[in-house]
Amino acid sequence: RSFTSQTDGEARVTQVLREKFPRASAIKVVDISGGCGAMYEIHIESEEFREKRTVQQHQMVNQALSEEIKSMHGLRIFTSTPK
């Protein structure tokens, strides 16, 4: 598939993250399970993460995706703050 088209799952996860992190400067969601929606890799850069430890940042993302996570097998989270 092309890099521009997202799977439904990627689009849904991206939408939820945009709502929960309105100050995010970058959100990238990739289905790394081959398109079946079982595992995602998430890269999110947001001002909301500033002054928080990595584990706290990841907890924020897990909390935001609590409903979506129920149907996943795994999640790789990469968080950062804008430089």
Side-chain angles (χ1 to χ4, degrees), residues 38-75:
M39 187 150 178
Y40 290 93
E41 185 170 293
I42 294 172
H43 294 261
I44 180 166
E45 180 181 275
S46 179
E47 199 55 55
E48 282 120 318
F49 297 140
R50 197 167 301 285
E51 305 293 319
K52 293 193 169 45
R53 297 191 325 270
T54 303
V55 68
Q56 292 171 311
Q57 296 173 10
H58 290 199
Q59 286 169 339
M60 290 167 68
V61 174
N62 280 316
Q63 185 67 42
L65 295 173
S66 57
E67 278 305 306
E68 289 70 22
I69 286 174
K70 291 176 184 173
S71 60
M72 295 179 197
H73 290 295
L75 190 59

Side-chain angles (χ1 to χ4, degrees), residues 12-28:
R12 189 174 62 252
V13 171
T14 301
Q15 179 63 35
V16 171
L17 290 172
R18 285 202 193 290
E19 289 170 12
K20 304 281 183 173
F21 298 99
R23 294 164 64 199
S25 48
I27 295 176
K28 182 176 170 219

